[in-house]
Amino acid sequence: MAGDDAGKINQIRGLEDLKCVAGARQAEASVAFDLSQRRKQAAAGVPAEEQGAGVAAQIALARRESPNRGSRLLGLARALTGMPRTFAAFRSGLLNEWRVTLIVKDTICLTPENRAGVDEELAADTGALDGIGDKAIIAAVRAAAYRRDPASVAKRAARAVTERTVSLRPAPDTMTYLTALLPVAQGVAAFAALSREADTARSAGDDRSRGQVMADTLVERATGIPGGVTGVEIQLVMTDRALLQADGEPARLPGYGTIPAASARNLALSHAASHELSLWVRRLYTAPGAGELVAMDSTARLFPPNLKRFLQVRDETCRTPYCDAPIRHHDHILGWAGGGKTTAGNGQGLCEACNHAKEAPGWNARPVPGPAHTVATTTPTGHTYHSTAPPLPGAPLAGGAQSCSSQKRRLTLARATP
Ligand SMILES: [Zn+2]
C-alpha cells in the first residue's frame, strides 16, 4: 500500500536525522574526552608537546575505526567547535558527517578567525546548503576560504608536496597497482622517461607493447636490477600440501595479501628452477591443530632478524584492531623494562602511530594464552580490546572445528641474492 511506503520513507529520513544527532553527540563527547585527557596528562607531568598522545587512538577503538581515521575524526570534532553554524546543521540533520567533513577539510588551513568567517558566510544552519551536491559544497567552501586567505592556496600546495608517497594495493588476477602520488613536475617527468624508453625499445624491434616496456622499465629502475626481482626478498607463506600435492589452499604473499595456490606454486617453483636465483626454504612448524607458528626465542633486547621476519609473517599488518597499516616496529607487548621477554609470544608488529600511542601513559598490553596469538590492550579508561593474529594458510578458523590431528607444516619461501 502507498501509505506503508510513505511510512517507510519517513522512517528512513527519521533514522538519517538520528545518525546526524548521534554523529554530532560523538563529536561533542570526543572534544570533551580530549580536553579531559589532556588535563589529566598535564597533571601527571606529561610535557606540553606530548599531551594528547593516545587520545585519538582510544576514540578510534571505541568507534571501531583505524587509528588514522580516529585522528581525522577527532580533528573534525575539534574544528567543528570553532564553526558553530556548521555544527548546528550537523546536529539538526541538515548536514551529515561526510558533508561536514568536506567543509572542515577545506577550511582546516585557515586561522580560527577566518574559519569562523567561512562558517558565518555558509550559514549552513539556515538550510543554505540543503539540496546541493557534494561538489557544489566544496566549491562554496573554497570560494569563501580563498576570499579570506588567498595565501592558503599556496600553503595547501606546499603541504600537498609533503604528502608524496608510493603505495601498493591488490588488483584482480594476481596483479597489483603500484601507485605514486607525486608533485606534478616529477610525475610528468617520470612518465615521459618511461614513454621514451618504450619508443626507443620498440623502434629497435622489441615486440613488447608500449605499456609492457614501460612497466618492465619501471620495475627495473626501481629495483636497480634487469628483470627486477633478484636481490629483493619476496616471502611466500603456503602449506606444504599446496606446494607439493597441488592442494587448493590459498597462500599469502606478505605485503600483498592472499593469492591462489596455483599462482603461489608458479612463483615458488619457476624461481626455484631458474639458475640465477637461489631459493631459500624456511620451515616453520605449528603446534598440532593450533594453526599458530611455533615460537622462537631470543635473549637479546632487540628482536633479531629471524624473529622480526617471523612477526612480519604472522601479523601481516599492524596488530591494533581496525588498523591495517604496514608494520614498522617490532614491539615487546610486555615491555623489556617490565620483564617482557624477546619471544614471538611477547612480540607484535605495530605501525609507527600505534607504537607511539601504546607508549602514552595509562596504556597496558599483555599476551593472552590461547590457540591463536592474541594481544589484550587496555586503554587509560580501563577498556580492553583484543587482537588476534590473522589465520595462516591451512590454519583452522578461530572457533571452528579443529579436527586436524597431524602436525601442520608451513613453508616460508624467501628469495634473496645468491
Ligand atoms: Zn597501527
Side-chain angles (χ1 to χ4, degrees), residues 113 116 164 169 295 313 330 361 381 407:
E113 296 72 39
R164 65 191 182 276
R169 65 195 167 87
V313 169
H330 302 86
T381 53
Q407 192 173 41

Side-chain angles (χ1 to χ4, degrees), residues 120-213:
E120 194 59 40
E121 180 177 332
L122 294 175
D125 55 335
T126 62
L129 301 176
D130 201 25
I132 72 169
D134 288 356
K135 282 185 195 146
I137 287 189
I138 294 170
V141 175
R142 286 190 182 163
Y146 296 165
R147 259 199 298 282
R148 277 167 185 80
D149 184 9
S152 74
V153 187
K155 273 189 282 178
R156 279 180 72 91
R159 221 183 88 169
V161 171
T162 67
E163 284 162 7
R164 65 191 182 276
T165 189
V166 175
S167 60
L168 189 71
R169 65 195 167 87
D173 303 323
T174 336
M175 297 290 278
T176 191
Y177 296 106
L178 172 69
T179 311
L181 178 66
L182 297 171
V184 63
Q186 275 95 325
V188 169
F191 190 82
L194 295 173
S195 300
R196 241 188 343 264
E197 185 67 26
D199 293 337
T200 311
R202 281 169 62 77
S203 63
D206 195 320
D207 57 3
R208 289 174 295 170
S209 74
R210 257 185 123 253
Q212 287 168 348
V213 177

Side-chain angles (χ1 to χ4, degrees), residues 67 318-320 323-326 350-355:
C318 173
R319 282 294 292 275
T320 300
C323 184
D324 47 15
L350 288 180
C351 74
E352 195 136 14
C354 292
N355 192 45

Side-chain angles (χ1 to χ4, degrees), residues 42-333:
V46 175
E49 67 276 11
E50 286 171 27
Q51 287 167 20
V55 173
Q58 292 180 73
I59 292 170
L61 285 166
R63 291 196 59 172
R64 300 195 179 96
E65 295 282 7
S66 71
N68 184 286
R69 198 155 152 67
S71 69
R72 271 186 287 150
L73 288 165
L74 176 58
L76 172 72
R78 290 172 60 168
L80 279 175
T81 57
M83 306 183 80
R85 302 191 74 166
T86 305
F87 210 168
F90 187 17
R91 270 188 216 101
S92 67
L94 282 168
L95 289 171
N96 63 20
E97 193 169 61
W98 170 245
R99 303 184 122 215
V100 166
T101 307
L102 295 179
I103 294 174
V104 167
K105 216 171 78 183
D106 274 307
T107 52
I108 208 81
C109 54
L110 299 179
T111 61
E113 296 72 39
N114 281 333
R115 203 176 311 141
V118 171
D119 181 58
E120 194 59 40
E121 180 177 332
L122 294 175
D125 55 335
T126 62
L129 301 176
D130 201 25
I132 72 169
D134 288 356
K135 282 185 195 146
I137 287 189
I138 294 170
V141 175
R142 286 190 182 163
Y146 296 165
R147 259 199 298 282
R148 277 167 185 80
D149 184 9
S152 74
V153 187
K155 273 189 282 178
R156 279 180 72 91
R159 221 183 88 169
V161 171
T162 67
E163 284 162 7
R164 65 191 182 276
T165 189
V166 175
S167 60
L168 189 71
R169 65 195 167 87
D173 303 323
T174 336
M175 297 290 278
T176 191
Y177 296 106
L178 172 69
T179 311
L181 178 66
L182 297 171
V184 63
Q186 275 95 325
V188 169
F191 190 82
L194 295 173
S195 300
R196 241 188 343 264
E197 185 67 26
D199 293 337
T200 311
R202 281 169 62 77
S203 63
D206 195 320
D207 57 3
R208 289 174 295 170
S209 74
R210 257 185 123 253
Q212 287 168 348
V213 177
M214 287 170 75
D216 295 346
T217 309
L218 174 71
V219 174
E220 282 181 15
R221 293 197 179 160
T223 60
I225 292 145
V229 280
T230 14
V232 180
E233 187 177 86
I234 295 177
Q235 289 196 334
L236 186 60
V237 185
M238 63 193 299
T239 66
D240 53 350
R241 298 186 309 280
L243 178 63
L244 306 169
Q245 297 165 25
D247 187 68
E249 179 68 32
R252 212 169 75 190
L253 190 59
Y256 172 79
T258 303
I259 60 172
S263 306
R265 265 193 300 278
N266 283 341
L267 196 60
L269 299 175
S270 65
H271 289 301
S274 110
H275 290 300
E276 73 271 27
L277 293 164
S278 54
L279 176 74
W280 263 248
V281 180
R282 283 195 187 78
R283 283 160 201 269
L284 302 167
Y285 293 89
T286 64
E292 195 188 359
L293 298 162
V294 161
M296 302 177 230
D297 295 355
S298 165
T299 50
R301 180 188 175 156
L302 295 174
F303 286 92
N306 265 342
L307 202 42
K308 278 189 185 170
R309 189 162 24 221
F310 178 93
L311 296 179
Q312 202 87 30
V313 169
R314 185 195 65 195
D315 294 349
E316 174 94 70
T317 59
C318 173
R319 282 294 292 275
T320 300
Y322 316 109
C323 184
D324 47 15
I327 293 173
R328 293 279 178 263
H329 293 272
H330 302 86
D331 173 62
H332 286 83
I333 299 170

